[in-house]
Each structure stands twice: as C-alpha cells, then as structure tokens.
Amino acid sequence: MKNEAQERLSKSFIMYSILLIGACCFVFIEFADEVIEMELKSFDNPIIQYIHGFRTPFFGEIMSAVTSLGSVTGIMIGMSIALIFLLIARQWWEGLFLIVSVSGSSLLNYYLKWLFKRDRPTFNPLVEESGYSFPSGHSMVSFSFIGILAYLLTTMVRKKSMKVLILTLSMLLILLIGFSRIYLGVHYPSDVIAGFAAGCAWLVICIAALKYKLQR
C-alpha cells in the first residue's frame, strides 16, 4: 500500500514537473522571440519608468545590498556555507546537486547571453555592469541556487508551517533580487522574467534528477 502511494506521488511529481518546465520554456521562448524581433520596448519601458519613480538614495543602498546577494561572490559564499552543512550531515548527493544546479545555471546563462547578445539598458543605471543583458544572470542563477536550497531545507523539516515559511521567504528573496536589477537600471524587466523562467526550468530538472537518484 505504501509503495503504491509513493508510486502515485512520483507520477504526480513527474507530471507537474513536465508541465512546469513546459510553462517556463514557453515564457522564455516568447520573450526570446521578442528580443530577436526587438519588439519589447512597449513592455519594458513603462515598467522601468514606474520602478525608477521610486528611486531614493536610501532605497538605492538597500537595492545595492540586495543585488549583491545574487552576485557571483554572494552566490559562492552562500553555496560554500550550504555545502559545509550538507557535508557535515553526510548528504553527499544533495551537495553534488547543489553544485550542479548553480554551475549548470551559470553556464547556461553565459551561453544564452552570448546567443542573444542584447545590450544592457541605458536608462540612467545606478551601478556599472559589463556583458550582455538577456537573460538576467542574477535572476536565473539566484532562482536555481535559492530554489534548490529551499527544497533541501523543506526536506529537513517536518512542520508544514515551516515548509511554507521557507518557500515564502525564498521566493520573496528571489523576487527582490530580480527587482533590484531593474531598479538599479542594469536589466530590462524582460531580462529578469526570462531569467526567472530559465532558472525555474533548470531548477525543476535538477530537483527531479535528485529525487530520482535518492529513490534509486
């Protein structure tokens, strides 16, 4: 009876994973197509102008601190701390897939940026960034890193309220990092959304692979 319940749960997880990956790919492809056609100004510009209307020196400092959490340095520090705890807990496969999630997302983002070669916005950026714009690396890699970290944490706690809290805080942090990129003027909104979509698709693939390996 227990095996049948686990099998049904696994089938449901696979089905929802495929649907989520498909939805993320659809969103990414839609924005990628618009980038190629250069028809995103009507979508991006009003959002940028609205968000930049909230700019203040104090809020700018907060957003700079938030965006640093999704930087290469911030991700590496966070991943190193997480890996130490996972190795102490002897969760070898979890640690490996954490590395795969982050490194794979970073490499995929690098390839996508090179593929689309979209220049960064020039709407009075508050910080200087190099490289191409689409999709947002901060948004994509942060989604993969924070997402798999949240998943691992939810498997370690039993209370449903704690699981919900972890997922809520994780999603809030991911959204704030993406928002900070638009606020600071280094990414278009479409860059951030596409980064979230690509990061989410890669995250689901990594979680599905991890679940399969642990069940085997």
Side-chain angles (χ1 to χ4, degrees):
M1 198 72 175
K2 185 177 180 181
N3 289 335
E4 290 180 2
Q6 289 179 340
E7 185 177 350
R8 286 197 300 270
L9 185 62
S10 297
K11 289 181 178 179
S12 297
F13 177 81
I14 292 172
M15 182 184 68
Y16 286 122
S17 296
I18 293 173
L19 289 174
L20 184 54
I21 291 171
C24 290
C25 289
F26 174 79
V27 171
F28 182 86
I29 291 171
E30 284 294 307
F31 278 105
D33 183 62
E34 294 300 315
V35 167
I36 294 173
E37 298 294 331
M38 301 180 68
E39 295 179 353
L40 279 169
K41 286 186 177 181
S42 60
F43 174 83
D44 286 322
N45 291 355
I47 298 175
I48 290 174
Q49 292 173 3
Y50 180 77
I51 292 177
H52 286 189
F54 294 98
R55 280 182 169 180
T56 64
F58 176 72
F59 200 35
E61 291 181 6
I62 294 176
M63 288 296 101
S64 294
V66 170
T67 209
S68 66
L69 298 176
S71 65
V72 174
T73 302
I75 295 293
M76 290 302 296
I77 292 174
M79 187 170 70
S80 299
I81 294 172
L83 283 173
I84 290 172
F85 281 101
L86 289 173
L87 292 177
I88 291 174
R90 297 181 179 275
Q91 294 183 318
W92 316 117
W93 284 109
E94 288 83 348
L96 176 61
F97 273 87
L98 175 63
I99 295 173
V100 170
S101 177
V102 175
S103 59
S105 182
S106 300
L107 290 173
L108 181 59
N109 180 260
Y110 178 83
Y111 171 74
L112 291 172
K113 282 180 180 292
W114 175 84
L115 181 66
F116 292 100
K117 293 183 172 66
R118 187 186 196 186
D119 292 328
R120 291 184 181 272
T122 56
F123 296 99
N124 189 26
L126 298 182
V127 295
E128 289 195 13
E129 291 280 4
S130 59
Y132 294 115
S133 185
F134 183 91
S136 166
H138 276 63
S139 302
M140 185 172 172
V141 180
S142 293
F143 204 112
S144 300
F145 170 61
I146 299 173
I148 198 165
L149 193 61
Y151 169 76
L152 294 176
L153 288 173
T154 56
T155 62
M156 298 176 187
V157 298
R158 293 184 177 181
K159 289 185 178 180
K160 187 176 180 180
S161 59
M162 283 299 298
K163 293 178 184 289
V164 172
L165 179 62
I166 290 170
L167 292 174
T168 301
L169 291 177
S170 299
M171 185 54 63
L172 179 61
L173 181 56
I174 290 170
L175 292 174
L176 279 174
I177 290 174
F179 177 84
S180 72
R181 305 306 287 168
I182 304 171
Y183 181 93
L184 295 173
V186 292
H187 276 298
Y188 295 100
S190 52
D191 297 335
V192 172
I193 297 172
F196 285 157
C200 181
W202 177 247
L203 170 65
V204 174
I205 292 172
C206 290
I207 291 176
L210 175 59
K211 283 178 68 69
Y212 175 78
K213 180 61 185 177
L214 293 179
Q215 288 175 357
R216 295 283 291 182

